[in-house]
Amino acid sequence: MIMNQRLPMPDMDGCVTFPLTRPHAVLLVLLLLAAAAVATAPVSKQQCHSGDRAALLAVKASFGNASYFVSWTADIPCCHWFGVRCDATSSSATATGGRRVVSLAIMRDAGVSGPVPGAAIARLTGLQELLFLHVPGVSGAIPPALARLSALTDLTISRTGVSGPVPAFLGELRALRSLDLSFNALTGAIPASLAALPRLASINLGRNRLTGAIPPLLLSKAGPEAFLTLSHNSLSGTVPAEFAAVSFVQVDLSRNALTGDASVLFGGGRTLLVAVNLSRNALSFDMSRLEFPERLASLDVSHNAIRGGVPAAAGNLSQLMFFNVSYNQLCGELPSGMASFEVYSFRHNKCLCGAPLPACQA
């Protein structure tokens, strides 16, 4: 142990002099190496790409320099601006400097208003994630310039004032995996071009004003897991027969004007299916013929014209937490496993009986 060590003191020039002990000498070397590393660190490790920085400033200006962008200042590296994320390495850096912006999130701020600045955002050529969430002041149509974001994998424009159609040019975003345009004022039909996206596995277009039929090949290329929400629209026609080949985990088609047979969504082979909501449509099929997957946790087919009875296998679903078949034309005795559900789940049918409803008559 080294005794009587004295603290380093600055000399006349303000430099620090250390005693010549071995531990201090090692420490000095380490400090000098660390300082040299910081001093010689390339700009690419400290700031985002200069072109991306200019694009972000254009986004800020398009929204009138709203308070959401208060951290977007010259004294803060733009990779540290609120809502901005850059890639983890400098491998994409160019001679003009910097890490590439891969994610832009503008959310939960009523002070951000105006149209989506498509031209500015399209200049973020490395962008992978774009999020507008809970920004009701953002309005207008989804700009065509977003089609130039060839690296985009996740697009969310939700709970905004955006209107107009779901644009067909979204089918040009070949890297897209997730699309969420829910809770807006979008109108018109769902473009068939979305079905051509080779990696798209999750679509949420719920809570809009969409009309027309569901494109038959939607999510046909989704792979092992597919998620679809089209609820609270005015969609018509039938549930596409092609959905029999889609490996759904969750599907919500509730509160539309769909008709016909929806049994293609069920079957013992759907090992990953967890939640189905078909409520408040005009669907008509024989429920007694359905096969429910073992992992099914939630089923709502209320307010339709479904006939038959509740399959006995439904009472054996160990993970089933929500079950509602009310307001249909079902008949017969409920499986014994249904007794734990509330009465309202079965009300207003033709002749259902058994717990939790009154006992069946002999």
Side-chain angles (χ1 to χ4, degrees):
M1 182 171 62
I2 301 174
M3 304 296 293
N4 300 320
Q5 293 183 7
R6 62 185 178 88
L7 295 175
M9 299 294 291
D11 60 16
M12 295 295 293
D13 297 322
C15 297
V16 176
T17 302
F18 289 87
L20 295 178
T21 61
R22 177 168 178 155
H24 282 156
V26 173
L27 177 61
L28 176 60
V29 171
L30 293 176
L31 288 172
L32 290 174
L33 289 174
V38 171
T40 59
V43 174
S44 62
K45 291 185 179 180
Q46 301 175 27
Q47 297 185 1
C48 61
H49 186 278
S50 58
D52 288 356
R53 183 179 184 276
L56 291 171
L57 290 176
V59 171
K60 175 183 177 180
S62 71
F63 287 125
N65 299 317
S67 60
Y68 183 87
F69 308 100
V70 67
S71 70
W72 293 26
T73 59
D75 59 331
I76 299 176
C78 49
C79 286
H80 298 289
W81 288 353
F82 185 70
V84 176
R85 182 169 61 85
C86 296
D87 56 5
T89 69
S90 59
S91 60
S92 62
T94 68
T96 57
R99 296 159 56 191
R100 302 310 303 265
V101 172
V102 295
S103 178
L104 174 60
I106 300 174
M107 56 186 180
R108 301 184 186 280
D109 194 320
V112 177
S113 61
V116 175
I121 294 173
R123 291 160 57 188
L124 301 170
T125 55
L127 199 65
Q128 299 172 18
E129 301 171 349
L130 177 60
L131 175 70
F132 285 88
L133 178 64
H134 281 282
V135 276
V138 173
S139 58
I142 298 173
L146 297 187
R148 302 204 297 269
L149 296 172
S150 60
L152 198 67
T153 61
D154 298 270
L155 174 60
T156 296
I157 303 175
S158 178
R159 296 178 185 270
T160 73
V162 166
S163 58
V166 177
F169 64 71
L170 294 179
E172 301 174 28
L173 299 174
R174 308 296 289 177
L176 200 64
R177 295 192 302 248
S178 174
L179 175 64
D180 185 349
L181 303 179
S182 61
F183 290 86
N184 292 302
L186 299 173
T187 56
I190 300 171
S193 61
L194 295 181
L197 292 173
R199 300 180 183 179
L200 188 61
S202 178
I203 298 176
N204 188 348
L205 303 178
R207 301 270 182 171
N208 280 288
R209 304 169 188 172
L210 302 178
T211 55
I214 301 172
L217 297 179
L218 200 63
L219 292 178
S220 59
K221 300 180 180 182
E225 296 185 354
F227 302 81
L228 179 63
T229 299
L230 302 177
S231 63
H232 293 78
N233 282 289
S234 298
L235 299 172
S236 57
T238 60
V239 176
E242 290 81 357
F243 277 7
V246 180
S247 183
F248 285 111
V249 176
Q250 177 268 330
V251 55
D252 186 352
L253 307 179
S254 63
R255 293 179 181 266
N256 281 288
L258 300 173
T259 58
D261 190 356
S263 61
V264 295
L265 297 173
F266 302 91
R270 294 186 176 277
T271 57
L272 299 179
L273 186 63
V274 172
V276 179
N277 191 344
L278 305 175
S279 64
R280 296 181 184 272
N281 281 285
L283 299 167
S284 177
F285 56 91
D286 187 351
M287 187 173 185
S288 60
R289 299 170 58 185
L290 297 185
E291 293 182 51
F292 295 134
E294 293 182 358
R295 294 181 59 183
L296 189 67
S298 177
L299 176 66
D300 190 346
V301 294
S302 62
H303 294 268
N304 282 288
I306 300 171
R307 61 189 184 278
V310 177
N316 299 323
L317 297 173
S318 60
Q319 299 187 45
L320 191 63
M321 296 181 292
F322 183 85
F323 190 80
N324 191 344
V325 296
S326 62
Y327 291 88
N328 279 290
Q329 300 173 13
L330 299 173
C331 199
E333 185 173 7
L334 293 173
S336 58
M338 298 286 100
S340 60
F341 291 98
E342 298 292 336
V343 171
Y344 74 82
S345 298
F346 308 98
R347 282 178 172 165
H348 299 281
N349 273 285
K350 188 176 181 180
C351 52
L352 283 179
C353 58
L357 297 175
C360 300
Q361 299 297 318

